[in-house]
């Protein structure tokens, strides 16, 4: 009885990925399958030849491969808690540019779990910040007119009240 | 009174009152968000979830302002719950509601007759949940696309003594569909993680070991001991059950406006920071709620609780992982009398709670089952 062809491929095949500076990354088939985009591309053309990924740099590709290689096996063999610890270590010290480059790469390659992880990290950096701080951290241009901004702040005043927190607390005490 | 977001204070001080001029000498740093398509920015916002953070994002830029209302996953942390009535003794305005105060009073003293409970709940009490002095409904107003909403109260409504455990999880459509309650007269974690005060610990641990030895030597079939009926043990469990059902039905009642204002809702969870109670409504249940409005109870602002069938399991002592344990553990699985019996009771009950309580529940359903009935109230 012949062995399941997919399993055989997973063990032996390497997939060749050509990135922005024409470097070739060779990754195991199972690792490449973490990308929905590669999965679709390879199911049509097979694993011979090279898949071009012109818009991804060497540095980013290395991180993507590192993540996918770990997670290929993680689901079945490593505890959820340990996977989370590994993920946090993976994210450590990544600068903003790298984070966003990773988001774009996972968007293009369609790697949901990594994209979710990075997006959650960005969300965590936004979470407790004021609007000005968010703009400053992410270099976002404020294109709202002062009137527009005032209107939004008024409409969503429940989100901004902490910014005047000490004053408001006084009022509450007086009212009992 | 408003306890959330204290950590923001320190970073806010120097921003207060002025808009930061956003300028860097030399190199202009890139705005990475520019590169992301809207779908990805929305993904980030959906991960953000917290409604106050989303409200602030709406003031960052035009683009953010346009995307925030499209968020599908939202978490609303309620800052405080206050009584709508002016109450004597300054009970209003505390972080626990009037409900909490009443139940602390009733549950703590085992001897109180059950009738007193109804009398105490008689006068109309309005319980308002607030986010910085705004109702959750108001705060959610502009979010028209919410699919998954989680609301978190600052604490459980049921005031209970130190060391006592009481947790419930209830599912509702238009009316109660199911409820699982786990209680223990004493719950302690193993190792260094103690719940009671330090000096009591050594004494407690000795007592627990002693009780464990006692119960091991007795018949451990799960039979409720005779003393239970006379020493107030049964009454206590009934009070736990009723209190939990009242808390659940009061939360359900609070949700009417939110559910009708957000037809896109597919799941709704109302929980609390203590992890005491969780109310859940799924897609089908929300649909039923919209088609068939709830029946309010006559006396208080809560949904009518239908006639119920209950299964109860008891363990005088339960060993849990990592040296933790429970005394007087009681598990109750409740469903309305007019609903068909769930075949997978055990799986359903065990899945109701996070660990370590899931393990506790699994162990308890194997014991002797007691059946009870309760009238609608």
């Amino acid at each position: 009885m012949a062995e399941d062809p997919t399993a055989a491929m997973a063990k032996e095949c390497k997939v060749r990925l050509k990135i922005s500076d024409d470097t070739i990354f060779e990754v195991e088939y199972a690792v490449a399958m973490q990308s929905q985009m590669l999965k679709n591309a390879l199911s049509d053309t097979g694993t011979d030849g090279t898949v071009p990924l012109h818009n991804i740099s060497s540095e980013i590709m290395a991180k993507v491969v590192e993540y996918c290689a770990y997670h290929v096996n993680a689901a079945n063999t490593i505890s959820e808690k340990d996977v989370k610890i590994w993920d946090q270590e993976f994210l450590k010290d990544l600068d903003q540019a790298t984070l966003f480059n990773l988001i774009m790469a996972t968007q293009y390659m369609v790697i949901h779990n990594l994209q979710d992880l990075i997006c959650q990290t960005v969300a965590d950096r936004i979470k407790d910040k004021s609007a000005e701080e968010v703009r400053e951290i992410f270099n976002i241009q404020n294109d709202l007119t002062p009137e527009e901004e005032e209107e939004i702040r008024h409409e969503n005043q429940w989100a901004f009240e902490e910014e005047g927190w000490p004053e408001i607390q006084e009022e509450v005490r007086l009212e009992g | 009174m408003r306890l959330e977001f204290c950590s923001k204070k320190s970073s806010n001080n120097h921003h207060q009152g002025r808009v930061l001029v956003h300028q860097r000498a030399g190199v202009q740093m890139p705005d990475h968000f520019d590169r992301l398509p809207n779908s990805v920015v929305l993904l980030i916002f959906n991960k953000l979830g917290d409604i106050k953070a989303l409200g602030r994002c709406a003031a960052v830029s035009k683009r953010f302002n346009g995307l925030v209302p499209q968020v599908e996953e939202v978490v609303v942390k309620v800052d405080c719950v206050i009584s709508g009535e002016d109450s004597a003794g300054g009970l209003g305005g505390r972080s626990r509601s009037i409900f909490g105060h009443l139940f602390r009073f009733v549950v703590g003293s085992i001897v109180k007759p059950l009738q007193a409970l109804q009398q105490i709940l008689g006068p109309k009490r309005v319980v308002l949940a607030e986010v910085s002095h705004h109702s959750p409904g108001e705060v959610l107003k502009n979010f028209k696309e919410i699919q998954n909403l989680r609301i978190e109260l600052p604490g459980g409504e049921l005031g209970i003594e130190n060391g006592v455990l009481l947790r419930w999880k209830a599912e509702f459509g238009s009316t109660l569909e199911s409820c699982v309650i786990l209680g223990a007269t004493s719950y302690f974690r193993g190792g260094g993680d103690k719940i009671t005060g330090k000096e009591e610990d050594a004494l407690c641990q000795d007592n627990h070991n002693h009780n464990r030895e006692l119960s091991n030597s007795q018949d451990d079939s799960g039979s409720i001991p005779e003393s239970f009926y006379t020493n107030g043990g049964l009454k206590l469990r009934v009070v736990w059950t009723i209190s939990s059902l009242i808390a659940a039905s009061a939360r359900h009642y609070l949700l009417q406006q939110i559910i009708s204002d957000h037809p896109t809702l597919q799941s709704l969870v109302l929980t609390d920071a203590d992890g005491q109670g969780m109310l859940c409504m799924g897609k089908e249940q929300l649909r039923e709620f919209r088609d068939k409005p709830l029946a309010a109870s006559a006396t208080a602002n809560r949904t009518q609780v239908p006639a119920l069938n209950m299964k109860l399991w008891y363990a005088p002592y339960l060993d849990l992982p990592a040296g933790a344990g429970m005394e007087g553990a009681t598990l109750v699985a409740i469903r309305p009398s007019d609903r068909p019996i769930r075949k997978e009771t055990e799986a359903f009950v065990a899945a109701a709670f996070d660990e370590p309580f899931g393990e506790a529940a699994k162990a308890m359903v194997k014991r002797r089952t007691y059946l009870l009935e309760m009238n609608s109230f």
Side-chain angles (χ1 to χ4, degrees):
Chain A
M1 190 82 145
E3 202 183 295
D4 170 22
T6 334
M9 270 218 287
K11 282 183 219 159
E12 289 162 14
C13 272
K14 299 272 190 205
V15 173
R16 293 158 59 86
L17 306 170
K18 186 174 185 182
I19 57 170
S20 63
D21 59 358
D22 287 347
T23 329
I24 307 278
F25 268 73
E26 266 196 5
V27 297
E28 283 174 24
Y29 184 79
V31 173
M33 288 303 101
Q34 301 265 299
S35 152
Q36 290 298 311
M37 173 264 198
L38 287 178
K39 194 167 176 180
N40 294 337
L42 294 170
S43 69
D44 296 334
T45 62
T47 56
D48 298 331
T50 308
V51 181
L53 295 170
H54 298 306
N55 45 1
I56 301 180
S57 74
S58 172
E59 182 205 351
I60 297 300
M61 197 66 220
K63 288 303 265 185
V64 169
V65 172
E66 184 190 341
Y67 180 89
C68 291
Y70 178 81
H71 278 259
V72 153
N73 296 312
N76 295 325
T77 54
I78 306 174
S79 79
E80 214 175 295
K81 195 173 110 181
D82 287 337
V83 169
K84 283 204 167 96
I85 293 172
W86 188 93
D87 282 349
Q88 289 311 308
E89 205 41 50
F90 175 81
L91 291 167
K92 210 165 128 185
D93 300 332
L94 292 184
D95 65 11
Q96 217 182 99
T98 309
L99 283 180
F100 279 83
N101 284 331
L102 277 170
I103 294 181
M104 291 308 293
T106 53
Q107 177 74 358
Y108 182 66
M109 293 179 74
V110 191
I111 305 174
H112 289 300
N113 53 356
L114 179 55
Q115 189 177 50
D116 282 350
L117 180 67
I118 309 287
C119 286
Q120 182 65 63
T121 306
V122 173
D124 291 343
R125 292 188 185 188
I126 294 175
K127 185 158 181 204
D128 289 320
K129 309 289 190 297
S130 70
E132 291 96 353
E133 283 167 322
V134 172
R135 284 190 212 116
E136 193 183 335
I137 292 170
F138 294 100
N139 308 299
I140 301 172
Q141 182 71 18
N142 183 3
D143 55 354
L144 298 161
T145 67
E147 294 81 25
E148 284 171 337
E149 186 176 341
E150 183 51 44
E151 196 190 321
I152 296 170
R153 282 173 181 267
H154 179 74
E155 181 82 354
N156 296 346
Q157 53 188 272
W158 39 266
F160 294 98
E161 273 163 7
E162 277 77 23
E163 294 180 7
W165 193 73
E167 288 173 47
I168 292 181
Q169 200 192 21
E170 274 316 308
E171 282 177 44
V172 166
R173 283 216 205 100
L174 287 172
E175 283 165 359
Chain B
M1 184 166 67
R2 275 174 297 114
L3 306 170
E4 298 281 3
F5 311 110
C6 288
S7 60
K8 273 184 55 58
K9 246 199 313 180
S10 56
S11 62
N12 268 330
N13 286 339
H14 76 279
H15 286 305
Q16 211 162 336
R18 9 180 226 118
V19 175
L20 265 191
V21 175
H22 172 77
Q23 209 174 29
R24 300 196 181 250
V27 180
Q28 178 62 41
M29 306 273 275
D31 172 2
H32 293 293
F33 272 96
D34 267 348
R35 296 192 284 151
L36 302 183
N38 282 347
S39 61
V40 179
V41 178
L42 270 175
L43 184 55
I44 293 174
F45 285 170
N46 279 318
K47 299 260 176 239
L48 187 55
D50 174 55
I51 203 169
K52 285 194 186 185
L54 288 169
R56 290 191 292 270
C57 278
V60 167
S61 69
K62 281 191 168 135
R63 186 188 186 200
F64 274 29
N65 190 43
L67 289 175
V68 160
Q70 295 175 38
V71 168
E72 293 172 356
E73 310 265 339
V74 176
V75 176
V76 177
K77 285 203 176 126
V78 170
D79 297 318
C80 65
V81 181
I82 60 173
S83 165
E85 280 187 24
D86 278 351
S87 46
L91 283 169
R94 298 254 188 264
S95 60
R96 284 197 185 267
S97 68
I98 291 290
F99 259 18
H101 177 80
L102 292 172
F103 282 108
R104 207 174 295 126
F105 177 63
V106 175
V107 174
S109 48
I110 298 171
V111 186
K112 281 287 174 201
L114 292 175
Q115 289 83 353
L117 189 66
Q118 273 305 105
Q119 286 168 8
I120 287 167
L121 292 171
K124 210 170 182 184
R125 303 279 180 185
V126 177
V127 175
L128 302 177
E130 298 215 324
V131 180
S132 304
H133 300 305
H134 302 266
S135 70
E138 205 184 315
V139 152
L140 288 165
K141 198 172 45 167
N142 291 328
F143 293 84
K144 303 275 189 232
E145 317 253 348
I146 301 180
Q147 292 187 6
N148 302 310
L149 176 60
R150 182 186 172 97
I151 302 177
E152 199 178 282
L153 300 175
E157 299 94 318
L158 308 180
I160 48 177
E161 287 164 4
N162 258 343
V164 173
L165 175 82
L166 187 56
R167 292 189 176 230
W168 57 264
K169 180 172 175 181
E171 288 189 17
F172 279 81
S174 300
T175 178
L176 180 69
E177 288 190 4
S178 69
C179 181
V180 184
I181 303 171
L182 179 64
T185 50
S186 167
Y187 166 63
F188 58 94
R189 292 185 256 256
D193 198 359
K194 303 288 185 188
I195 299 183
T196 54
K198 270 199 186 154
E199 302 86 45
E200 298 174 51
D201 286 349
L203 194 60
C204 258
Q205 197 60 42
D206 281 342
N207 279 342
H208 293 311
N209 289 336
H210 180 64
N211 286 337
R212 180 194 285 154
E213 280 162 24
L214 267 183
S215 75
N216 280 345
S217 64
Q218 286 165 2
D219 167 28
D220 201 31
S221 65
S223 297
I224 292 179
E226 276 306 310
S227 56
F228 211 65
Y229 300 99
T230 48
N231 68 5
L234 181 62
K235 262 191 196 136
L236 178 64
R237 270 78 185 171
V238 176
V239 170
W240 283 350
T241 304
I242 295 183
S243 316
S244 302
L245 288 168
I246 289 178
S249 55
R251 287 192 190 181
H252 183 244
Y253 191 80
L254 285 175
L255 296 171
Q256 291 174 88
Q257 193 61 48
I258 292 176
I259 295 175
S260 83
D261 286 346
H262 297 276
T264 52
L265 267 179
Q266 295 189 6
S267 93
L268 178 50
V269 172
L270 181 40
T271 181
D272 61 75
D274 295 332
Q276 185 181 89
M278 181 185 281
L279 183 154
C280 303
M281 295 178 74
K283 195 167 166 187
E284 287 308 313
Q285 293 157 329
L286 286 162
R287 184 178 303 162
E288 183 194 275
F289 188 97
R290 289 190 191 104
D291 291 340
K292 196 167 57 160
L294 60 80
S297 133
T299 49
N301 283 346
R302 59 176 181 82
T303 308
Q304 180 81 354
V305 175
L308 305 168
N309 283 352
M310 306 195 285
K311 287 186 181 172
L312 184 147
W313 299 270
Y314 172 76
Y317 192 90
L318 204 63
D319 261 325
L320 296 172
M326 282 188 204
E327 283 178 2
T330 311
L331 180 68
V332 187
I334 300 168
R335 62 169 179 84
S337 312
D338 59 4
R339 295 228 174 207
I341 297 173
R342 268 178 181 270
K343 292 198 183 94
E344 327 80 18
T345 303
E346 290 186 18
F348 162 68
V349 165
F353 302 107
D354 290 338
E355 296 309 332
F357 307 115
E359 280 304 309
K362 263 189 228 157
M364 291 191 70
V365 289
K366 297 188 177 115
R367 305 169 81 85
R368 184 169 165 187
T369 308
Y370 288 85
L371 299 176
L372 296 114
E373 286 175 11
M374 195 176 274
N375 288 337
S376 156
F377 62 94

